[in-house]
Amino acid sequence: MALSSVKGFFCLLLITCMIGMNTSAELSENFYGKTCPKAVRTIRKAVQDAVMNERRMGASLLRLHFHDCFVQGCDASALLDDTSNFTGEKNAFPNANSLRGFELIDDIKSQLEDMCPNTVSCSDILALAARDGVAELGGQRWNVLLGRRDSTTANLSEANTLPAPFLNLDGLITAFAKKGFTAEEMVTLSGAHTIGLVRCRFFRARIYNETNIDPAFAAKMQAECPFEGGDDNFSPFDSSKPEAHDFDNGYYQNLVKSKGLIHSDQQLFGNGTSTNAQVRRYSRNFGRFKKDFADAMFKMSMLSPLTGTEGEIRTNCHFVNAPISNTTTA
């Protein structure tokens, strides 16, 4: 490489690093230490209570955070409702009648608005709630840097391109690479499917048509998901355990046994698949998966946050703040 090219490369690397450092510098674990010191504790207590009442909520909060961060970054755009002059992301194909946990986020926001008005962003609530939900189900906590601000826009078309359950391995790798994740991190983040439920319509084609599936498992799932009808019947992603919401490495153990429920999951393991070794490693070592998942989630929580004077602190997570009138009276 020519000297000028080397200099150019390191200059670009330095600029990239500086941009990342600037973003991180505006976020901190103790961002609300003075302005709302009970915020983190309040969010954690609300999530603990919600998960104790319904363990599925931990998975729902994780999914809500993922679907938010993969569209425009972690800016709470996924929470915005449609209005007469605004289109949100809730009716995108991957989100419609699927995302849940909004009421819990509303309850937390209401508590924090009473405690510290106009201070804690909806996007920070989402980031902390996802972390705490996973922890309540047996996962490892990860650091969450705070200080995100909320978007005043949404992107329905981008929400419609979220990684789909029908993708092949190359499609999964490409979709995650667009957000800065390696193939290894994609496999790690896919482990989120060790918790949560999925509708019949998203795995019907696999259990009736695909050959890289354990026959007994396929027959079992066909009983839960008929060839016709029952589109909205729910089944756990990980059918190997009675409690579908324990965060463990059962997801990877299923893949090794050809018991991945949706097409995109089983794509991670098969004859000659490049991700086989990692799947097998996680299937044998929960501790390794748990730590790697926490690291990957920290990285995801840092996707393009709005900071400083960008965006706003929404007072209601469903709607952009009303513009402040400049009209004065005599």
Side-chain angles (χ1 to χ4, degrees):
M1 183 182 292
L3 180 60
S4 59
S5 298
V6 172
K7 288 181 178 178
F9 170 78
F10 282 107
C11 180
L12 178 61
L13 182 62
L14 178 61
I15 292 171
T16 302
C17 290
M18 288 175 66
I19 291 173
M21 289 171 61
N22 288 339
T23 300
S24 298
E26 295 187 53
L27 301 178
S28 69
E29 284 188 77
N30 198 38
F31 186 84
Y32 300 111
K34 294 182 179 179
T35 58
C36 197
K38 294 182 180 179
V40 174
R41 191 187 328 159
T42 298
I43 295 169
R44 181 176 298 184
K45 178 62 165 59
V47 171
Q48 287 174 336
D49 290 345
V51 174
M52 183 178 295
N53 181 60
E54 183 203 10
R55 287 178 64 77
R56 181 188 172 196
M57 184 55 67
S60 297
L61 292 170
L62 175 61
R63 187 166 185 265
L64 187 54
H65 183 44
F66 172 85
H67 281 228
D68 178 47
C69 290
F70 261 56
V71 180
Q72 297 190 160
C74 304
D75 61 1
S77 62
L79 302 181
L80 289 169
D81 284 351
D82 291 352
T83 67
S84 58
N85 57 3
F86 183 92
T87 302
E89 299 164 10
K90 289 183 178 179
N91 287 316
F93 175 72
N95 297 341
N97 301 313
S98 177
L99 287 185
R100 60 194 301 272
F102 299 111
E103 294 83 1
L104 175 57
I105 300 300
D106 291 344
D107 177 63
I108 294 171
K109 180 63 173 174
S110 179
Q111 291 184 55
L112 294 176
E113 284 298 307
D114 288 342
M115 189 183 302
C116 323
N118 307 312
T119 301
V120 182
S121 69
C122 301
S123 47
D124 275 346
I125 294 172
L126 271 183
L128 285 168
R131 187 271 306 272
D132 293 341
V134 169
E136 287 303 303
L137 297 180
Q140 178 175 312
R141 292 186 184 277
W142 56 89
N143 291 335
V144 176
L145 302 185
L146 302 170
R148 295 169 192 75
R149 290 169 64 84
D150 301 323
S151 69
T152 57
T153 62
N155 194 322
L156 178 63
S157 61
E158 189 176 350
N160 274 316
T161 67
L162 282 160
F166 316 111
L167 287 179
N168 292 327
L169 181 60
D170 287 346
L172 289 169
I173 291 173
T174 298
F176 278 78
K178 288 178 179 177
K179 300 299 177 182
F181 292 103
T182 65
E184 290 76 15
E185 289 167 332
M186 177 274 292
V187 173
T188 303
L189 289 171
S190 295
H193 286 171
T194 199
I195 53 177
L197 306 177
V198 59
R199 282 181 168 85
C200 162
R201 58 180 163 174
F202 294 120
F203 62 85
R204 177 183 285 118
R206 169 157 169 74
I207 62 175
Y208 285 99
N209 301 328
E210 298 187 7
T211 57
N212 61 338
I213 187 168
D214 177 83
F217 173 69
K220 173 178 180 267
M221 298 314 302
Q222 287 169 10
E224 299 183 20
C225 178
F227 189 75
E228 293 183 352
D231 281 6
D232 291 330
N233 292 355
F234 281 106
S235 295
F237 278 106
D238 178 5
S239 61
S240 67
K241 55 198 176 218
E243 175 52 72
H245 305 298
D246 289 336
F247 191 92
D248 57 22
N249 60 341
Y251 167 80
Y252 299 101
Q253 294 171 354
N254 289 339
L255 298 185
V256 172
K257 299 173 184 175
S258 298
K259 293 182 179 181
L261 185 54
I262 61 175
H263 175 83
S264 58
D265 283 344
Q266 194 60 56
Q267 286 290 293
L268 305 184
F269 191 89
N271 290 333
T273 301
S274 61
T275 54
N276 279 354
Q278 185 180 357
V279 169
R280 199 177 291 281
R281 183 164 62 248
Y282 283 162
S283 75
R284 296 169 175 168
N285 190 335
F286 173 49
R288 175 69 178 271
F289 162 58
K290 186 163 63 170
K291 179 186 181 303
D292 287 354
F293 187 82
D295 291 342
M297 283 302 302
F298 172 79
K299 180 175 176 177
M300 193 184 82
S301 75
M302 297 296 289
L303 286 177
S304 305
L306 300 175
T307 58
T309 58
E310 299 173 310
E312 63 182 16
I313 305 297
R314 287 188 221 136
T315 56
N316 181 328
C317 293
H318 292 264
F319 303 103
V320 173
N321 295 339
I324 299 174
S325 174
N326 292 322
T327 303
T328 59
T329 57

